[in-house]
Amino acid sequence: MSNSDFGLIGLAVMGQNLVLNVESRGFQVSVYNRTTAVTDSFVAAHPGKKLVGAQSLEEFVQSLASPRKVMIMVKAGGPVDAVIESLIPLLAPGDIIIDGGNSLYTDTERRDQWLGDLGFRFIGAGVSGGEEGARKGPSIMPGGPASTWDVMKPIFESIAAVVDGEPCVTHIGPGGAGHYVKMIHNGIEYGDMQLICEAYNIFKAAGFTPAELAKVFTDWNQGDLESYLIQITSKIFAEIDPLTGEPIVDKILDTAGQKGTGKWTIMNAVENAVVISTINAAVEARILSSMKDQRVHAATLLEGPPAQLSGDKALLVQKVHDALFASKIISYAQGLALIASMGQEKNWGLDLGKIAAIWRGGCIIRARFLNDITDAYRSDPSLSNLMLAPFFTNLLNQFQQNWREVISTATLAGIPVPAFSASLGYYDSYRSSVLPANLLQAQRDFFGAHTYERIDKPRGEMFHTDWPEVIG
Ligand code: 6PG
């Protein structure tokens, strides 16, 4: 019978949870997985639910009401294309394919063109929130034609997280815009995580135990830093390893993994000439963390001060709070500036206020201060940089002294704080009306006759100096 409202291919954890979420909102859902035993056990594990387990793609497609709505939740890259290719001969014009994985936005643009030419409708949708978000309400970032969004809107709005009565989903823009914004979300996620790790490293050097840190992060989560990542961090510090009876955080090897979305973000930023130094530092910190053997060797050769801090712990907590919050503002300012720049370049018509609003719930970077970011863009949609919104200007002015002190203290103790420092470097550069690039221009002119502009002549007028010859 062709009467399922929605179909999903790929029953890994995210896929399964999304299916249960859609079904719980009153829709009948057909499911297909390449290994059909997974489909069978999934359907069997949820008796009484409006689920149709298909044994073949043909059966799956036939079970869907027209226009068919098929969501693909498989590994990004080749597997997405392979599923689409096998679907094409089975679907009818006007059917909708949704890719809900972490696909590279340029792949989404290619698929949008490819499927559009064949008469199908395609949505590239970023879905954030991990397993729990998928089940209870993720943040969804769909891109594609507005007319296709209109068809999908009732289902997407019913399954998304809700904040202040607003669902955490909105039509982001055409083509690859949805996956693009999800990519930047992930870059910001990398930045948030690294900043928290740097705070932890400073506290560790000051002798805080995991139990004390659980308390610090629980307290922070009651205040202006309230966010999902701060919350889970408090729970991580409180978790005890059943094998040793000691805090689990002390038993986990210090080498970070990454699937690539952070790297894609910084590659895109370089291409667009937008500075995202905090995210850059976060990606590089993961790379350095993975060089465990080299670090262990270097630790025996390269000197530095002992990574030990002393002093009033409560005062340190306040200062690190300020440094973390200030750096976090910078990271979002950079990520949003990149979205704005790319949106203009691509003519996507992006609404930064709406993007910030749908990040307030469901996703990994959800945080109280996204309300303030939403307000900042709603009151000034053409805001050139988040730091210049009065609310954030005030916070940065308030935090900057402690931010500097934390970075100086850490640096003098040999504690690496690359993301804190990168953020402060951006702040100080951005607020400098004069930078030393006059010297840089002179150097370029010296060795390459690249010319320069003068401070006492109109912009655009170029000058060259006959520099002395350098012998040898
Ligand atoms: C989300 C997450 C999700 C996933 C990333 C993690 O928004 O739900 O970002 O997409 O956790 O793939 O990426 P790394 O493995 O690169 O940390």
Side-chain angles (χ1 to χ4, degrees), residues 102 128-130 182 185-186 189-190 258-261 286 364:
N102 267 334
S128 177
K182 174 62 175 31
H185 164 284
N186 280 28
E189 172 187 304
Y190 275 52
Q258 51 184 324
K259 295 207 195 77
T261 46
R286 288 198 193 193
I364 303 297

Side-chain angles (χ1 to χ4, degrees), residues 14 76 100-105 125-130 139 141 177-195 229 257-266 276 278-280 282-283 286 331-332 335-336 338-339 355 359 362-366:
M14 286 289 283
N102 267 334
S103 291
L104 182 58
Y105 77 96
V127 179
S128 177
S139 173
M141 292 148 256
H179 273 137
Y180 180 80
V181 167
K182 174 62 175 31
M183 177 182 83
I184 307 299
H185 164 284
N186 280 28
I188 292 175
E189 172 187 304
Y190 275 52
D192 276 348
M193 293 167 79
Q194 175 62 22
L195 292 171
L229 286 167
Q258 51 184 324
K259 295 207 195 77
T261 46
K263 187 181 84 182
W264 293 346
T265 305
I266 58 179
I276 54 162
T278 313
I279 297 171
N280 211 356
V283 174
R286 288 198 193 193
S331 182
Y332 282 67
L336 288 162
L338 178 54
I339 291 179
I355 292 169
W359 287 348
C363 61
I364 303 297
I365 64 169
R366 61 184 184 261

Side-chain angles (χ1 to χ4, degrees), residues 10-12 16 31-45:
L11 290 175
Q16 290 195 9
V31 293
Y32 175 77
N33 195 75
R34 202 172 46 172
T35 310
T36 51
V38 175
T39 311
D40 295 341
S41 58
F42 174 65
V43 174

Side-chain angles (χ1 to χ4, degrees), residues 202 304-305 309 404-418 421:
I202 294 168
L309 298 176
R404 293 178 196 287
E405 285 178 23
V406 166
I407 291 171
S408 323
T409 305
T411 305
L412 286 172
I415 303 162
V417 282
S421 313

Side-chain angles (χ1 to χ4, degrees), residues 294-377:
Q294 283 190 54
R295 289 190 287 114
V296 169
H297 179 56
T300 65
L301 299 173
L302 302 174
E303 289 179 5
Q308 276 166 14
L309 298 176
S310 55
D312 181 345
K313 281 186 168 177
L315 189 61
L316 186 67
V317 169
Q318 184 54 49
K319 289 189 174 185
V320 174
H321 164 280
D322 293 358
L324 175 57
F325 202 165
S327 303
K328 188 176 162 87
I329 294 168
I330 300 303
S331 182
Y332 282 67
Q334 295 175 345
L336 288 162
L338 178 54
I339 291 179
S341 158
M342 185 71 170
Q344 264 169 14
E345 166 82 20
K346 292 282 215 175
N347 223 356
W348 277 338
L350 302 182
D351 181 333
L352 270 73
K354 280 191 180 164
I355 292 169
I358 65 162
W359 287 348
R360 290 178 302 163
C363 61
I364 303 297
I365 64 169
R366 61 184 184 261
R368 185 194 286 189
F369 97 136
L370 275 158
N371 285 308
D372 305 305
I373 299 183
T374 304
D375 291 347
Y377 281 101

